[in-house]
Amino acid sequence: GLAKGSGWEMVDGGAFDGDKAYKDSKLCNVLFTREMQRRLSDRGSKVTCNSFSPGLITRSGLFRDQNPIFVGLFDFIVYNVAHVAETVDFGGGCLVTMAVGPQLEGKGAEFWSNSKPGQHTFEKVEVSKEAQDAAKARRLWELSARAVGLTPAETIVLNAAARAHEAFT
């Protein structure tokens, strides 16, 4: 997995599984964001970091490499039968809320989600116990830095550069 360095397919080191890879990517997104927020808060930064999921949006191009018959059938079912899909416009609105929404002013390490699929709801929700694991978040941060070739010293330099930037903005 990520801990052994290059050549891995799954973050935990297992064989590739598309469904698990998707779920792991969401977990890693939350863990990484929470660790980034912790690091920013520890140094007194006013910058905040949050993560979100706008829900299932099939018409965004994400499924462009899938079998067109499957995509058409899946799209029809999730929009017209199950009513669990969201529109591209709704997803864009969620992103705008995360970037400039006054309800997030000064709040960090939050996770916002389309909590009632197909009903156009977007609100703060609690994450799983695993996603709240601070030790796991710190370890993911450290392994990610190593995976992109950052040494501990370079990480310190980046933190110093961020502080300097903050002082002038």
Side-chain angles (χ1 to χ4, degrees):
L2 186 55
K4 77 174 189 180
S6 65
W8 52 275
E9 290 187 337
M10 296 291 291
V11 73
D12 65 1
F16 182 77
D17 176 320
D19 186 51
K20 186 172 183 326
Y22 177 80
K23 292 172 185 173
D24 284 353
S25 74
K26 298 302 174 194
L27 173 61
C28 288
N29 183 356
V30 173
L31 288 168
F32 196 89
T33 301
R34 291 173 69 92
E35 177 63 10
M36 182 182 297
Q37 182 61 56
R38 184 194 67 77
R39 289 170 180 259
L40 289 167
S41 295
D42 283 356
R43 61 169 220 244
S45 175
K46 292 182 178 155
V47 174
T48 59
C49 300
N50 296 288
S51 52
F52 79 106
S53 172
L56 176 61
I57 303 173
T58 62
R59 297 174 181 168
S60 65
L62 183 64
F63 293 92
R64 68 184 161 274
D65 295 324
Q66 299 296 321
N67 179 309
I69 294 170
F70 164 78
V71 173
L73 185 58
F74 184 72
D75 184 70
F76 178 80
I77 291 170
V78 298
Y79 274 95
N80 302 302
V81 178
H83 304 286
V84 295
E86 294 295 350
T87 65
V88 172
D89 286 345
F90 176 80
C94 294
L95 178 58
V96 169
T97 296
M98 295 304 293
V100 297
Q103 62 272 54
L104 283 156
E105 185 68 33
K107 296 180 182 168
E110 291 188 356
F111 179 72
W112 283 56
S113 179
N114 172 3
S115 60
K116 298 176 185 91
Q119 296 181 27
H120 308 301
T121 58
F122 190 62
E123 59 194 2
K124 178 186 172 187
V125 296
E126 290 302 314
V127 295
S128 69
K129 293 279 188 222
E130 186 176 19
Q132 294 177 38
D133 186 333
K136 191 173 278 192
R138 183 175 284 116
R139 180 79 171 135
L140 175 64
W141 181 279
E142 292 164 354
L143 292 172
S144 298
R146 190 173 77 196
V148 297
L150 293 178
T151 66
E154 289 171 320
T155 302
I156 291 168
V157 169
L158 288 175
N159 287 340
R163 280 192 295 278
H165 174 73
E166 241 174 50
F168 295 103
T169 56

